[in-house]
Amino acid sequence: LFGEVAHKSLHNVEGQMIMFIVEFEDMGYSGPDHLRTFNFRAVVGDVTYDTGNGRNKKEAKREAAALALQSLGFQVNVGKNL
């Protein structure tokens, strides 16, 4: 696995806790220094999900986690106000 790895527990908004071990793969960044866009994708087990983007690493990881949950069938708002 390339890049930075962080373990997070994710749970759905309906109150029932479901635990996943999520690794975040650093996909790099783009843009000039003053306008960086960071890119991370979530990996759960051997499944890789869509890449999340953000103005900082935290925002990009948050979007990547939301995209992974959405792919797993959870209803999640993907965007800046997660």
Side-chain angles (χ1 to χ4, degrees):
L1 182 67
F2 298 103
E4 187 175 309
V5 176
H7 295 283
K8 304 281 182 181
S9 63
L10 305 173
H11 54 83
N12 67 11
V13 294
E14 297 167 352
Q16 182 182 18
M17 176 116 9
I18 298 175
M19 301 295 283
F20 299 96
I21 299 297
V22 179
E23 296 176 329
F24 292 98
E25 187 174 351
D26 187 342
M27 302 302 293
Y29 58 85
S30 60
D33 289 343
H34 68 282
L35 197 59
R36 289 267 188 241
T37 298
F38 293 90
N39 308 292
F40 281 84
R41 65 182 177 188
V43 180
V44 179
D46 60 351
V47 180
T48 301
Y49 295 94
D50 290 338
T51 301
N53 308 301
R55 296 277 296 141
N56 56 53
K57 290 180 180 183
K58 181 179 178 180
E59 199 174 274
K61 288 178 185 180
R62 181 177 285 171
E63 183 175 85
L67 290 169
L69 282 171
Q70 196 172 54
S71 294
L72 292 167
F74 293 95
Q75 205 166 13
V76 178
N77 292 326
V78 178
K80 305 300 181 219
N81 297 323
L82 296 174

